[in-house]
Amino acid sequence: MLLVGLSAIAVGGGVATALQDGGPDSAPNYSDTYIGTVEIDGEPAPVGTTVTAEIDGEQRGSITVEEAGEFGSMDNRLSVSGTANETGTPVTFLVDGEEATADPAVTFGSGGVVSLTVEKGSTPASGTGSTADSDPDPDTTGPDFEVVDGELSADTVRVGERIDVTATVENGGGNGTEPVELLVDGDVDTERKVTLEEGAAENVTFERPFNETGSADIAVGDLELGTVTVRDRAPAAFEVATAQVSATELEAGESVDVTATVRNVGEESKTDTVQLVTDGSVAAERDVTLDGNESETVSFTESFERAGEHEIAVGDADARTVTVTDEDAVPGFGVATAIAALVGAVVGLRARNGWSDR
């Protein structure tokens, strides 16, 4: 024999809310709100117990026990709706579908304190405010949730990353609300309140971060979904592609633009210094900050005053060769040839003019 005890405090009974306007013959909507305690066979009702309120056999409000032995709170009350024309109509309370006997009677709009008890299969006492039949419907049951399927968005993550855990929940019982729990290594990690009609199903998704290395067994309700392995993030490491130059031949004093792509092939963020190296010496530097697997293009401008071939590189990447010519050199001759030609011209000039070294 099932005995249920409930004491409730009506809060805000008979408060009008202007929810409809159907003309002079219509009545505005009202609501009563309740909070209280729930006992089953002298023990506090467990979390997930459903408390509902009916008027003339029609459900007008429902709430789920979130703390054992209590329903509702000052911020979340059991609200019973009705119209002004229903003021004074008896209100029936049910606990997980079992009708309760009220003492004193509860009528819509009256508010007050009420104590409810129920004996399975019994006829509620007269004057209790109950309008149900003497024989409760034997098929009336509470919700019966079952997790029938689920999946993990990933089974390997890095420290600091998250996964989505999705589960399909079916209700094989009556209408109601029950908690659906995400378990990590057998312990409840997160809980969701889910409301389903009889025979309905719904997908429930949890987002779970992992901040330590190791492994974790994941389940939703009684359904095991798998193991997640958590690894350290790879350290940052910068790589530089071969430098690109805007010109490979230029005159002394002219500038060349140098660009290169820098990539962080690690997973951690880092700030590093990227260097422009010419002829083996550091000519310029840039500080670059990159997240894991991120890349950026860096640019430098360099000029050369000395003619000849010069090696240009960014970081440790392969160098490019730039040839610099002297703008005063004789066209068509290299530097050595130009000097030799100049010396020959001077000697010839001396011979023609009778110059000697004496």
Side-chain angles (χ1 to χ4, degrees):
M1 183 175 295
L2 174 65
L3 296 178
V4 179
L6 165 66
S7 66
I9 301 175
V11 183
V15 178
T17 58
L19 300 180
Q20 66 178 22
D21 184 7
D25 295 330
S26 65
N29 286 353
Y30 282 73
S31 66
D32 285 341
T33 56
Y34 297 86
I35 61 175
T37 59
V38 187
E39 292 184 355
I40 299 177
D41 289 337
E43 297 294 331
V47 172
T49 300
T50 302
V51 178
T52 58
E54 295 183 352
I55 297 178
D56 289 335
E58 179 183 349
Q59 181 174 315
R60 298 298 183 85
S62 178
I63 199 168
T64 301
V65 172
E66 296 186 354
E67 293 189 19
E70 299 181 7
F71 76 92
S73 65
M74 295 304 293
D75 296 325
N76 181 27
R77 305 166 181 170
L78 170 57
S79 178
V80 181
S81 61
T83 67
N85 292 339
E86 291 175 315
T87 301
T89 303
V91 178
T92 302
F93 290 91
L94 299 95
V95 178
D96 277 348
E98 296 293 333
E99 184 180 337
T101 301
D103 184 21
V106 175
T107 59
F108 183 69
S110 64
V113 179
V114 61
S115 177
L116 303 180
T117 59
V118 67
E119 184 175 338
K120 189 174 182 180
S122 67
T123 302
S126 61
T128 62
S130 172
T131 61
D133 296 334
S134 59
D135 293 324
D137 184 353
D139 295 329
T140 300
T141 61
D144 182 15
F145 285 13
E146 180 182 4
V147 181
V148 297
D149 194 13
E151 64 178 0
L152 308 176
S153 62
D155 57 12
T156 301
V157 296
R158 302 293 188 184
V159 171
E161 294 180 340
R162 301 169 178 262
I163 67 167
D164 290 334
V165 182
T166 302
T168 302
V169 182
E170 290 184 354
N171 181 11
N175 302 347
T177 302
E178 282 193 351
V180 177
E181 297 174 336
L182 170 68
L183 292 91
V184 178
D185 291 331
D187 296 326
V188 176
D189 181 83
T190 310
E191 181 180 283
R192 295 275 189 275
K193 297 291 185 179
V194 179
T195 301
L196 290 175
E197 296 182 354
E198 181 177 354
E202 180 177 320
N203 287 334
V204 181
T205 299
F206 302 87
E207 188 180 70
R208 179 57 159 78
F210 295 89
N211 298 316
E212 297 180 356
T213 58
S215 62
D217 295 326
I218 306 298
V220 177
D222 295 328
L223 184 64
E224 296 181 359
L225 300 182
T227 300
V228 176
T229 301
V230 186
R231 300 175 179 172
D232 275 328
R233 299 174 68 86
F238 279 26
E239 290 185 354
V240 183
T242 301
Q244 302 298 316
V245 295
S246 59
T248 57
E249 295 183 0
L250 62 154
E251 293 182 351
E254 291 183 340
S255 297
V256 62
D257 294 328
V258 185
T259 60
T261 299
V262 183
R263 177 178 295 278
N264 180 3
V265 297
E267 295 174 319
E268 298 283 353
S269 298
K270 183 181 179 181
T271 299
D272 204 354
T273 300
V274 179
Q275 297 177 332
L276 173 67
V277 179
T278 60
D279 297 329
S281 299
V282 176
E285 294 181 335
R286 296 279 188 277
D287 286 338
V288 179
T289 301
L290 296 175
D291 293 331
N293 297 314
E294 187 180 19
S295 62
E296 181 177 322
T297 298
V298 295
S299 299
F300 301 91
T301 299
E302 179 69 347
S303 62
F304 298 90
E305 300 298 332
R306 179 174 58 83
E309 292 186 343
H310 299 272
E311 299 293 325
I312 298 179
V314 177
D316 295 330
D318 293 339
R320 298 295 301 272
T321 300
V322 175
T323 301
V324 180
T325 60
D326 189 345
E327 61 181 352
D328 295 327
V330 177
F333 293 90
V335 174
T337 302
I339 293 175
L342 182 59
V343 171
V346 171
V347 172
L349 182 63
R350 285 183 174 183
R352 285 195 302 269
N353 292 281
W355 294 352
S356 68
D357 292 332
R358 295 181 177 181

